[in-house]
Amino acid sequence: MPWSRIISGIIAIALAMSATLLGGWYFTVLFAVIIFLGQREYFDLVLAKGMAPAAKTTIVVSQVLLVICTIDGNLADAVMPVAGTFICFYLLFQPKMATIADISASILGLFYTGYLPSYWVRLRSLDNTGTTNLPTSDYLSELLDIVHQGDFSLLPQGLTATLLTFLCIWASDIGAYVVGKFFGKTPLSEISPRKTVEGAVFGVFASVVIALLGSYYLKWTKFPFTGVAIGLLIGIAGLLGDLTESMLKRDAGVKDSGQLIPGHGGILDRTDSYIFTAPLVYYFVTLLLPLLTNH
């Protein structure tokens, strides 16, 4: 593995961990930057197909969505239909008549690179003590005290669920890469020729192992069922996210979505596994866990 890939990966993990621990606006700003760069790459792929989407409008409303998610996650679902309607109105009154492809590409850009990733902000905000969590406050010292006690279930649910999801994705990506590179023989899909069945299966397995450990230390109800369930969700959703982005690149006729990250390609190349996972984990934690606890 090239050193550029290793170094850039370490820097990305350090930034993600720091923003996740701090939470609040720190986490929102990180994802605002990621979504902004990811949407620019997405619309570059769309433009390569000859379409004329409402790129700037979609990027702006996606940033507004992140701010609303941070202030009040309950209002976030109302933004999607309003933003979609606004984008359609914008395209209707352009000098050049918009096509079905233009509208579809714009709405997909809002949904795929804006709305779905915004669930990370909603997930991290669960049980949050505030939206500012400044380093000068007692926030970090309180977290360290809880960790010192050894009872991770006392940590904010949004923090633990976000960290566990990140760890599962990282374990899945690393496991799939290593096993696929050295032991993979069976191609998984024509969409991504380098992916193998062996790598994909081990990647999902690695996600389940980490999720089992996490659900045990977090004292989730109905262990080990909940650990296996969320591990499978994250592992499979990450794989589908990877294949979806590969499909978009293949259709656009490019190898990478960009060249921003040394050794990794573009933002979408590095974050495709995260797009579908956040909504699933969010509803698993907010809907399924309470349901299992009451039965």
Side-chain angles (χ1 to χ4, degrees), residues 11-212:
I11 293 174
I13 290 175
L15 285 173
M17 291 293 289
S18 299
T20 302
L21 288 173
L22 289 171
W25 290 108
Y26 294 96
F27 192 78
T28 301
V29 168
L30 173 66
F31 267 85
V33 173
I34 292 173
I35 288 176
F36 171 76
L37 296 173
Q39 285 188 322
R40 290 189 61 181
E41 291 180 357
Y42 165 80
F43 284 117
D44 284 343
L45 297 178
V46 170
L47 291 171
K49 294 293 293 181
M51 290 176 267
K56 293 180 180 178
T57 305
T58 304
I59 290 173
V60 170
V61 296
S62 296
Q63 297 297 313
V64 172
L65 175 59
L66 287 180
V67 173
I68 292 175
C69 285
T70 307
I71 297 173
D72 187 352
N74 294 324
L75 298 176
D77 289 330
V79 176
M80 182 65 182
V82 173
T85 303
F86 184 76
I87 288 172
C88 288
F89 282 166
Y90 174 83
L91 288 170
L92 283 174
F93 293 100
Q94 293 303 296
K96 178 184 176 183
M97 187 174 68
T99 65
I100 294 175
D102 297 336
I103 297 174
S104 300
S106 301
I107 298 300
L108 178 61
L110 174 64
F111 177 76
Y112 178 68
T113 57
Y115 180 69
L116 292 180
S118 74
Y119 270 89
W120 283 107
V121 174
R122 298 171 69 173
L123 180 66
R124 178 59 185 88
S125 298
L126 292 175
D127 294 341
N128 203 13
T129 56
T131 57
T132 52
N133 291 342
L134 295 174
T136 53
S137 70
D138 295 329
Y139 174 73
L140 291 179
S141 62
E142 291 174 1
L143 293 183
L144 291 174
D145 288 341
I146 295 174
V147 172
H148 182 72
Q149 295 175 27
D151 190 352
F152 296 100
S153 63
L154 297 176
L155 292 168
Q157 188 179 46
L159 172 61
T160 55
T162 303
L163 286 176
L164 178 59
T165 307
F166 281 163
L167 291 173
C168 287
I169 293 174
W170 295 337
S172 179
D173 284 349
I174 294 172
Y177 177 83
V178 172
V179 171
K181 183 176 180 64
F182 294 103
F183 305 103
K185 295 181 180 179
T186 310
L188 177 65
S189 171
E190 292 183 0
I191 295 175
S192 186
R194 291 191 297 177
K195 285 185 173 51
T196 64
V197 173
E198 293 83 1
V201 170
F202 189 83
V204 174
F205 173 75
S207 174
V208 171
V209 171
I210 297 299
L212 274 171

Side-chain angles (χ1 to χ4, degrees), residues 231-263:
L232 287 173
L233 278 177
I234 295 171
I236 294 173
L239 177 61
L240 292 177
D242 198 335
L243 291 174
T244 299
E245 200 250 348
S246 296
M247 179 179 64
L248 294 176
K249 291 188 298 184
R250 192 178 183 88
D251 186 45
V254 299
K255 180 178 181 294
D256 295 318
S257 64
Q259 300 297 327
L260 180 66
I261 308 174

